[in-house]
Amino acid sequence: MAESVVLDPVDLHLLRLLQNDARTTYRDLAAQVGVAPSTCLDRVTRLRRSGVILGHRLQLDPARLGRGLQALLSVQVRPHRRELVGPFVERIRALPEARTVFHLTGPDDYLVHVAVADMADLQRLVLDEFTARREVARVETRLIFQQWECGPLLPPGHAQS
């Protein structure tokens, strides 16, 4: 488990702002936080080096890319052994439809978020890429009607603002 990093109020404010818009310039960030732009750059660099900031991602609208149907696939793998985990996860991550893969505890071993064109495409994906695999014992599909992003991720005990 990774160690927590100590963050002061300026770091927390920077993280809130960057999670809302990662393209904000250092000059604008510095003005909003009340520090010099060079200080802002140093702090963001330190947050990257310490592993708090993992990267910057472009968020796309799946529907505008022809993938208007999203689903969560609960997958049970049998036998659930270490030598199957790596290859299974890498195969799923390589699928263009896969958005996120979670390795779970409980009756299901994986939860896979997928984005597909339509119901026929979802059926093809489940049958050809999941249930056709020998180690997949069961797949349960849940359609996503709507999703919402939540507030910025902060350490425990720090209120959202």
Side-chain angles (χ1 to χ4, degrees):
M1 186 171 191
E3 286 187 35
S4 293
V5 175
V6 177
L7 304 171
D8 67 15
V10 172
D11 294 328
L12 293 169
H13 197 176
L14 286 169
L15 291 173
R16 280 188 195 101
L17 293 169
L18 286 170
Q19 285 182 80
N20 288 329
D21 184 0
R23 296 182 309 156
T24 305
T25 65
Y26 289 115
R27 179 175 291 146
D28 290 342
L29 283 172
Q32 292 180 60
V33 174
V35 297
S38 60
T39 301
C40 182
L41 173 62
D42 290 344
R43 285 185 174 252
V44 172
T45 300
R46 182 179 53 78
L47 290 167
R48 280 194 189 108
R49 284 190 183 134
S50 67
V52 173
I53 296 175
L54 297 177
H56 305 279
R57 291 182 178 91
L58 185 64
Q59 190 171 357
L60 304 175
D61 182 345
R64 300 242 181 207
L65 295 173
R67 295 182 182 277
L69 182 64
Q70 295 186 65
L72 296 173
L73 307 179
S74 299
V75 182
Q76 193 176 70
V77 173
R78 292 295 175 259
H80 190 187
R81 292 196 314 246
R82 183 172 295 281
E83 62 268 14
L84 295 176
V85 169
F88 177 78
V89 170
E90 289 312 307
R91 174 66 190 129
I92 299 311
R93 290 184 67 210
L95 296 172
E97 299 88 354
R99 306 306 314 130
T100 310
V101 180
F102 298 94
H103 192 191
L104 309 171
T105 63
D108 297 314
D109 301 311
Y110 298 94
L111 183 65
V112 183
H113 176 198
V114 298
V116 295
D118 53 30
M119 196 62 74
D121 196 26
L122 180 59
Q123 181 182 23
R124 176 206 53 80
L125 179 69
V126 170
L127 294 176
D128 295 348
E129 300 295 344
F130 286 87
T131 60
R133 296 184 64 88
R134 255 196 258 156
E135 69 271 24
V136 173
R138 184 179 63 77
V139 175
E140 194 172 297
T141 304
R142 291 174 179 84
L143 299 180
I144 298 173
F145 291 137
Q146 196 169 1
Q147 71 184 59
W148 295 267
E149 294 294 323
C150 297
L153 179 64
L154 299 172
H158 291 83
Q160 306 290 333
S161 62

